[in-house]
Every structure is written in C-alpha cells, then in structure tokens.
Amino acid sequence: MKANFFRRSPARSTGRGASRAPGTGLRAVALGGAVLAVAPPAGAAAPLLLGVDLSFLHEPSFWWLAFSLLGVVAMGLALGLLYMLRLRLRLRRQELLAVKRERSKLSALLNAIPDPVYFKDQRGAYEGCNPAFVHCTGLPESQLLGLSDQQLSQSPDWSLALNHSSSAVGGMQRTLAWSTRPDGQRICLDVVQAAVFADGQNMGSVGVARDVTALREAMSQLHRAVTVFEHCGEGIMVLDADLLIRDVNPALCAITGYSCEELLGTMPHYLQIGEQNPEILKELWAEVGAKGKWSGELLERNKVGVAVPLWATIVSVPPAEAGGEAHYLSVLTDISRIKATEAELLHQELHDRLTGLPNLALLRDRIERQIGIAERERSGVAVLYIDLDGFREVNDVAGHAAGDAVLKEAAARFLNVLRLSDSVARVGADEFVIVLSGQVDEESAMRLGERLIEAMREPIAVGDSEPQRRFNLGASIGLALFPADGRTVDELLRNAEAAMCRAKAQARNTVQAYRPELTLAVQQRFELTHALRHACEVAQFRLEYQPQLRLSDGALIGAEALLRWNHPTRGPVSPMEFIPLAEETGLIVPIGRWVLETACAQAARWQGVAGKPQQVAVNVSARQLRQPDFVEMVEAILAATGCPAQALELEVTESLLLEDAEAAIQLLGALNQRGVRVAIDDFGTGYSSLSYLRRMPVQTLKIDRSFVSELGSDASVAAIARTVIVLARSLNLDVLAEGVETAEQAAWLRREGCDWAQGWYYGRPMAAWDFVLAQPQPAPQREVVQGVASGDLLLAL
C-alpha cells in the first residue's frame, strides 16, 4: 500500500494532468487534512479507517510528502494570483492608453475647430477653451481657468445674454452678439451654450461661438436684393435655360399688364422670333454668348396688344455650383415717355416754336432730298426766300406779342397758298423759305411768288380787344432754281437770299429772280470784310489831316483827322466803301479806338508848335457812342497820350439825336464836363430837332459840303446855309463850313458871318509829317474835285 501510494503519489503530484486541472492543489490539501485528522498518536497501534490501514501516518516520509504537496499548492495559488494581477494591469494599461488617445483626439479636434469653444463647471467657472476662443476674445486660457464671467476684468461680449443658471437645468441658450476682436475687426457671433450631464449629474456647460459675419452680410445683401427686386422701378425677370420665366417683380407686371401667375412658365414676347426682328435676336444672343451681356432697345407687346418700347439688359448668369443650370436675368425699362419726349424734342429741334413750321435744319434736309429726287427724275427745285416788309414797325409800335401774332398769321397765309407737296419754313425773325419741287420753272415759281405777295395785301388785325390794331405788311421775295442757280443747298439758299435783298432794296413787294451778278457783289463784300479784319490786325490804316481855318483872318485853328486805307493789292480803298461795312460788322469799334489814340497822340505832339493845328477833330459813330465805357475810354486815351482835353473835338451826326436823344444829351454832357469839345457834323442833311439842339451840350455846327458846293448856283441852298449860320449865332455856337473849294464860296461864307472853313481851297488832307498850311488856291477841275473829295467826306466813324 505504501509502495503503491508512493508509486502513485509522484504520478499524481507531478503529472501534466494535475498542472492542467484547476483545483488539484486544493483537493490534495483537503486530503492531507483528512489524513491528519484520523492519524493516531505516536506509539499507538495503527488504526483502521473504513477498512484501510492508516499505519502510514506514523511514517515521517508521509508527512514530508504531505507538506511538499501543500507547498506546491500554495506556490500554485501565488502564481495564479500573480498572473491574474498582471492581466488586470495589462488591461488597465490598455484602457489608459485608449483614454489618452481619445483625449488627444478630442484636444486636436478642439484645437482644429475654427469656432471659439469653451467649457465651464457647474459653478460657471471656466475649465478650458480652444485657441479660437483666445484669438476671438484676446483672453489667454491661463487667465480664464477657475474664474467666472463676473470675475473677469473683460468678459466676452455675449456673456450678459447667456444665463448660466438656465443651462444648469438642461436648457440650451442661443444668442447673436457683435464682438470686437483684438485686431479691431467687428464680427458677429452666433453663440450656443448647453449644459453637460453625466448619470443625471450636472457637470457644467459647453459653449460654441460661430462667426456668422459673412452670413449676416450675405443675408443683408439678400435682403437688399429682395427689396430692390420688389420695389425697383425697372421690370426684372429671371429666365431659365429654356428662356421660360421663373420669377418677375411687380414693376414688370405693371409694364406688361400681366399678373405674376400669368407670366410664370411662359416665354417673353420680345424674345420670340415671330414677335421680334430675327436679326436683332441673332445679334442679341451672339453678344450674350461672347460677352455675357447685351443691352439694347426691344419691343414688348402688353396684355392689351400695345407695343411698348423697352430698354433691355440681358445677362447670362452661370451656374452657382457644379452640375447646376445656367439662367438669364433680364432688366427692362419702359422708355415710352422717353421716346415721346425724344419725338417732342426732335420736333422742337426741327420746327419753329412760334409758328410750328420747319426750321432751317429741317428745311436743309428737305431741300437735300428734293435735289436728290430732281437729279434722278430730271425735274427742278425752286427756293423762294421771303422777307416781310414793315415787320419791324409792328414790334416797335405794338410790341413783340403783336409781332408774334403777325408771324403766325403770315405763316398761315403762306400755307393756304402752297400745295401739300411744297414746304415752308421759318429761318429768321421775319424770314421764310418756300421749297417747290416737281415740274417747276422760273415762270411758275414767279407766279407762286405773286400769289404769296397777294396773300399779304390784306391787313393783319392784332389784339382781342376792340378796336383791333391793323398792320399792312408786304413781302419781298427772292427766287433761285435748281440746277441753274445752284446745285447744293447752300448755293440755293444763298442765291435766293441775294435775290431777296435786291427785291427789298429796289422795289418792295416784288419777286426777283437770281442773277449771277448778285453773287459777285456778295463775294466782293465778303472779300472786303475779310480784308478789313486783316487790316485791323496788320495796321494798314493811316490818318491824314485837313486844315481848318478862321475865315476872319485866315488863321489855322485846327485839323480834321481823316481815315485812309491803302490795301497792298487793291490800292487805296474809299471810306465810302469800307466805313459802312465796318459799321455793320462792328469793326468800327476797334478801328475808332485806334483813330482816337493816333489823333490824340499827334495833337499832343503839335501842342505849342507854331504853324501846327492846336485842335484835332475826330468823327465818332453812334455805335461807338453806344459802348458803355466810351467816356472812360476817351479819358484814358487823353491821359495816356498827354493830349489836353480842349485839343480834342468829337464830331457826331444828327442821327444820334433820333435814336435816343436823352441818352445822347447825357453822354455828350459827360464829355463836355471833361473839357472835350463836341460838334454836330453834316448839319441840315438829317432831321434836326431844334428843341433837342437847344439842350445839346455842343460847341460847333458843321455845314455839310452839299450846301457849300452850290452856294453860287442855287438861291435856296444859299438860304439854307444862311439859316444855319443865323441859328448857330442865336444859340451861341460856332459854325464851320466843309468842302470849300473856291474863293467865291469862301467870300460868301465870310460875308454871312461863318466862323471857320475847311476844304481844298485851303489845303488837301495830308500826312502829319507833311502838314504845312499853304496859301489859298483855286480848286482843280470840278469833276476831279468831286471825285477825290468824296473820299474825304467822313472819317467813317
């Protein structure tokens, strides 16, 4: 038994089955305990247990073996416990690594989030935040931890709008707040704060602030765009890729007359080929395809069928995202009023506002077209240039309102005479032009002109009240024919006007046809005008001086300055030829100033020189005297040249009294106050007013040469000259006779008491450096005297 136990014992204790079977060591310990419990004391006989011999219990080897087994079992238990602890540590390490990885991921996620994020505990104190929060608020995380918003010196702008207590009960809060970043930029933040719970316990709160500045701006722009879309005065429609209407604004509904529901899903009329010009549509889509935009004028038919002119702008809008569909935006402006205004303005631009007749611009166009037709059909064109005779008197007597009424009546009478194919236009104050076309010749045109004159023979009544004023007007008409009298518009109008001027000058209320010599006269006048302007620039003028003597003793008292023009190619030009032209063109003003400056400078040089005139007479025209600064100009010239005021005598004509006597008296009085002498030239040839002459501040009357030349042959002329001398004596004025050419004339004037005289008998006009008073001598042959003296009548001023 013992052998068998030992033989079996090692097998049981060291076999592989024992090491694999759990609980083997525990069973061995239990068996050992049972053996000890029944073991007899030492020295006793070996008991029997269930028929088994227990004597081996008294053997020391048994107990050694038993205790060895117990040690093995204890060591197995210790190793098992150590293994279990190691396994738990390994599992715990893996869990910590997983948590660490999750925290790293969470930290990286928070750092990567561009929106500010923060955490608070249940008391509202900050537990952490991400870098975006620091960048947005400028508050470092180290200064936030453990502090609430109330404890911060500068809390976030949204803190007052978020209640920490409300989030503690599970609510979520949201607010919009404008904040200023550390760099000074204003941003709008959408802040959301929510409570955090774990197993029903409040762990604090988390907040996220999103920058919605761009979104707010986009929403504002969208709001403005919607407002513009709804309230814009221009019609706006959105079209899809198939040109079907997807949206319209109220203005477009007002333009077309259709409601929004009626327009949606339809194609606009102005884009339909049957409604619009195909060429315009082709050009439209070609430009939209090339440039993305087209603008131009289109016609749209409204609901009642009326064509409405529109100014359209069509824009191609590309897709907003990949795979999207392009569409078109059309902006339409109703230009009906603009077109009506343009038509009205065009009518006003091409028509006379008073009479409603075509003006010169439209007339030229019509003549141009008639010339083209006449060239193709080998027909003619007649241009009649009409000037109303006596129209100026209507304005002077009854005023401009009456003049306007007369012009309207004259236009109506002309229209009644003409055919529908003829044209009449107003081209000047009282000037009209009529254009005849077709088979027209000079005879038929002359007959029409006679009918136009006949239409004006009946007096024109003006005014609504009784009695009405009645004016008798005539018409002077000039005629020019195409192609005989001109082949262009300018030639026909110019030649017809030249013929009208001849009709007005020769015999009023007549029709005069154009003749080539009229153009020659006009051309010569134009060339002379140009030459006169050039003469002012290059100083082609000069002054000559004719002596004035006292008849009682033959003493030299002065000289009259006479203007001369020596043209480099024309030679000497008569004052009778260029002075009237200077008056009309206004060149008399600068020429007259030059004459005054030159004459005053010469008079200043002659002062105190024996045998030289101590006074110079200069003619001035009414146009010069009408200059507002004439008196100041004379004063300045006298001061600049050093000429004494009493050494200058200004000669004026009687016509000055007829224009504005009161103004003339005031002007001449101002000159007289400055010491300048004033003489009336050519006295007796005009309409002298003795009442004004008595008040006029003048010192000298000049008897015209027409009276002096016939003193010995015509008793009535002599009586007139004698009357002028007596009149001057009675008014305490000096008398000077012009054009004295013979000793008989000089003797008669001396005998009748004339003070002074000038003429060829005493000396011809001469240059200042040649001025020498010669002995009186008979004049040359009469015809020569008259021919040369005609150039010395006036200074032309």
mmCIF file of all heavy atoms in Angstrom, residues 707 710-711 714-726 748 752:
data_model
loop_
_atom_site.group_PDB
_atom_site.id
_atom_site.type_symbol
_atom_site.label_atom_id
_atom_site.label_comp_id
_atom_site.label_asym_id
_atom_site.label_seq_id
_atom_site.Cartn_x
_atom_site.Cartn_y
_atom_site.Cartn_z
ATOM 1 N N PHE A 707 -24.298 171.703 -99.283
ATOM 2 C CA PHE A 707 -24.811 173.074 -99.319
ATOM 3 C C PHE A 707 -23.733 174.040 -99.822
ATOM 4 O O PHE A 707 -23.990 174.951 -100.612
ATOM 5 C CB PHE A 707 -25.297 173.511 -97.934
ATOM 6 C CG PHE A 707 -26.425 172.674 -97.393
ATOM 7 C CD1 PHE A 707 -26.280 171.931 -96.233
ATOM 8 C CD2 PHE A 707 -27.645 172.634 -98.054
ATOM 9 C CE1 PHE A 707 -27.310 171.167 -95.740
ATOM 10 C CE2 PHE A 707 -28.679 171.863 -97.564
ATOM 11 C CZ PHE A 707 -28.524 171.126 -96.414
ATOM 12 N N GLU A 710 -23.009 174.428 -103.768
ATOM 13 C CA GLU A 710 -23.975 175.073 -104.641
ATOM 14 C C GLU A 710 -24.351 176.481 -104.153
ATOM 15 O O GLU A 710 -25.419 176.994 -104.475
ATOM 16 C CB GLU A 710 -25.233 174.203 -104.754
ATOM 17 C CG GLU A 710 -24.952 172.815 -105.335
ATOM 18 C CD GLU A 710 -26.213 171.992 -105.500
ATOM 19 O OE1 GLU A 710 -27.305 172.581 -105.389
ATOM 20 O OE2 GLU A 710 -26.123 170.777 -105.733
ATOM 21 N N LEU A 711 -23.481 177.066 -103.393
ATOM 22 C CA LEU A 711 -23.796 178.400 -102.887
ATOM 23 C C LEU A 711 -23.945 179.432 -104.010
ATOM 24 O O LEU A 711 -24.803 180.322 -103.951
ATOM 25 C CB LEU A 711 -22.694 178.856 -101.918
ATOM 26 C CG LEU A 711 -22.707 178.198 -100.529
ATOM 27 C CD1 LEU A 711 -21.538 178.708 -99.709
ATOM 28 C CD2 LEU A 711 -24.024 178.482 -99.818
ATOM 29 N N ASP A 714 -27.457 178.077 -106.554
ATOM 30 C CA ASP A 714 -28.814 177.758 -106.097
ATOM 31 C C ASP A 714 -29.134 178.674 -104.924
ATOM 32 O O ASP A 714 -28.513 178.609 -103.859
ATOM 33 C CB ASP A 714 -28.897 176.287 -105.680
ATOM 34 C CG ASP A 714 -30.335 175.819 -105.481
ATOM 35 O OD1 ASP A 714 -31.200 176.648 -105.161
ATOM 36 O OD2 ASP A 714 -30.591 174.600 -105.635
ATOM 37 N N ALA A 715 -30.141 179.535 -105.135
ATOM 38 C CA ALA A 715 -30.507 180.503 -104.104
ATOM 39 C C ALA A 715 -31.108 179.820 -102.879
ATOM 40 O O ALA A 715 -30.905 180.263 -101.744
ATOM 41 C CB ALA A 715 -31.484 181.525 -104.673
ATOM 42 N N SER A 716 -31.866 178.724 -103.085
ATOM 43 C CA SER A 716 -32.488 178.038 -101.947
ATOM 44 C C SER A 716 -31.424 177.388 -101.062
ATOM 45 O O SER A 716 -31.537 177.391 -99.826
ATOM 46 C CB SER A 716 -33.468 176.969 -102.447
ATOM 47 O OG SER A 716 -32.802 176.006 -103.261
ATOM 48 N N VAL A 717 -30.365 176.878 -101.705
ATOM 49 C CA VAL A 717 -29.283 176.287 -100.919
ATOM 50 C C VAL A 717 -28.597 177.373 -100.113
ATOM 51 O O VAL A 717 -28.259 177.194 -98.942
ATOM 52 C CB VAL A 717 -28.295 175.560 -101.845
ATOM 53 C CG1 VAL A 717 -27.045 175.144 -101.068
ATOM 54 C CG2 VAL A 717 -28.953 174.353 -102.481
ATOM 55 N N ALA A 718 -28.382 178.509 -100.725
ATOM 56 C CA ALA A 718 -27.766 179.622 -100.013
ATOM 57 C C ALA A 718 -28.623 180.074 -98.842
ATOM 58 O O ALA A 718 -28.114 180.426 -97.776
ATOM 59 C CB ALA A 718 -27.516 180.770 -100.976
ATOM 60 N N ALA A 719 -29.966 180.032 -99.021
ATOM 61 C CA ALA A 719 -30.863 180.419 -97.931
ATOM 62 C C ALA A 719 -30.758 179.454 -96.764
ATOM 63 O O ALA A 719 -30.774 179.858 -95.583
ATOM 64 C CB ALA A 719 -32.292 180.486 -98.445
ATOM 65 N N ILE A 720 -30.608 178.161 -97.094
ATOM 66 C CA ILE A 720 -30.470 177.161 -96.018
ATOM 67 C C ILE A 720 -29.171 177.374 -95.262
ATOM 68 O O ILE A 720 -29.137 177.352 -94.027
ATOM 69 C CB ILE A 720 -30.536 175.743 -96.609
ATOM 70 C CG1 ILE A 720 -31.926 175.459 -97.192
ATOM 71 C CG2 ILE A 720 -30.179 174.704 -95.552
ATOM 72 C CD1 ILE A 720 -32.040 174.129 -97.884
ATOM 73 N N ALA A 721 -28.075 177.624 -95.998
ATOM 74 C CA ALA A 721 -26.796 177.852 -95.345
ATOM 75 C C ALA A 721 -26.840 179.087 -94.474
ATOM 76 O O ALA A 721 -26.290 179.111 -93.353
ATOM 77 C CB ALA A 721 -25.696 177.971 -96.398
ATOM 78 N N ARG A 722 -27.489 180.138 -94.988
ATOM 79 C CA ARG A 722 -27.594 181.371 -94.199
ATOM 80 C C ARG A 722 -28.412 181.125 -92.934
ATOM 81 O O ARG A 722 -28.081 181.635 -91.851
ATOM 82 C CB ARG A 722 -28.244 182.455 -95.055
ATOM 83 C CG ARG A 722 -28.308 183.825 -94.372
ATOM 84 C CD ARG A 722 -28.946 184.860 -95.263
ATOM 85 N NE ARG A 722 -28.151 185.083 -96.478
ATOM 86 C CZ ARG A 722 -28.533 184.696 -97.704
ATOM 87 N NH1 ARG A 722 -29.686 184.046 -97.871
ATOM 88 N NH2 ARG A 722 -27.758 184.941 -98.758
ATOM 89 N N THR A 723 -29.452 180.296 -93.034
ATOM 90 C CA THR A 723 -30.296 179.987 -91.866
ATOM 91 C C THR A 723 -29.503 179.235 -90.808
ATOM 92 O O THR A 723 -29.653 179.486 -89.608
ATOM 93 C CB THR A 723 -31.517 179.159 -92.295
ATOM 94 O OG1 THR A 723 -32.248 179.885 -93.294
ATOM 95 C CG2 THR A 723 -32.407 178.855 -91.110
ATOM 96 N N VAL A 724 -28.672 178.298 -91.250
ATOM 97 C CA VAL A 724 -27.858 177.529 -90.299
ATOM 98 C C VAL A 724 -26.920 178.468 -89.552
ATOM 99 O O VAL A 724 -26.747 178.358 -88.333
ATOM 100 C CB VAL A 724 -27.081 176.426 -91.036
ATOM 101 C CG1 VAL A 724 -26.082 175.769 -90.088
ATOM 102 C CG2 VAL A 724 -28.032 175.393 -91.616
ATOM 103 N N ILE A 725 -26.324 179.416 -90.278
ATOM 104 C CA ILE A 725 -25.394 180.357 -89.635
ATOM 105 C C ILE A 725 -26.127 181.213 -88.620
ATOM 106 O O ILE A 725 -25.655 181.424 -87.490
ATOM 107 C CB ILE A 725 -24.708 181.218 -90.694
ATOM 108 C CG1 ILE A 725 -23.831 180.333 -91.606
ATOM 109 C CG2 ILE A 725 -23.859 182.300 -90.048
ATOM 110 C CD1 ILE A 725 -23.244 181.090 -92.790
ATOM 111 N N VAL A 726 -27.323 181.709 -88.981
ATOM 112 C CA VAL A 726 -28.108 182.539 -88.061
ATOM 113 C C VAL A 726 -28.529 181.729 -86.841
ATOM 114 O O VAL A 726 -28.489 182.211 -85.696
ATOM 115 C CB VAL A 726 -29.322 183.134 -88.794
ATOM 116 C CG1 VAL A 726 -30.241 183.854 -87.804
ATOM 117 C CG2 VAL A 726 -28.879 184.075 -89.895
ATOM 118 N N TRP A 748 -18.355 184.326 -99.753
ATOM 119 C CA TRP A 748 -19.781 184.310 -99.337
ATOM 120 C C TRP A 748 -19.886 183.901 -97.875
ATOM 121 O O TRP A 748 -20.629 184.504 -97.097
ATOM 122 C CB TRP A 748 -20.550 183.338 -100.234
ATOM 123 C CG TRP A 748 -22.043 183.416 -100.036
ATOM 124 C CD1 TRP A 748 -22.924 184.142 -100.744
ATOM 125 C CD2 TRP A 748 -22.806 182.716 -99.028
ATOM 126 N NE1 TRP A 748 -24.207 183.968 -100.287
ATOM 127 C CE2 TRP A 748 -24.146 183.098 -99.209
ATOM 128 C CE3 TRP A 748 -22.496 181.835 -98.019
ATOM 129 C CZ2 TRP A 748 -25.173 182.607 -98.413
ATOM 130 C CZ3 TRP A 748 -23.527 181.362 -97.214
ATOM 131 C CH2 TRP A 748 -24.854 181.742 -97.412
ATOM 132 N N GLU A 752 -21.329 186.187 -94.753
ATOM 133 C CA GLU A 752 -22.525 185.818 -93.983
ATOM 134 C C GLU A 752 -22.220 185.563 -92.514
ATOM 135 O O GLU A 752 -23.134 185.298 -91.737
ATOM 136 C CB GLU A 752 -23.170 184.568 -94.591
ATOM 137 C CG GLU A 752 -23.717 184.788 -95.981
ATOM 138 C CD GLU A 752 -24.858 185.801 -95.989
ATOM 139 O OE1 GLU A 752 -25.569 185.914 -94.958
ATOM 140 O OE2 GLU A 752 -25.037 186.463 -97.032
#
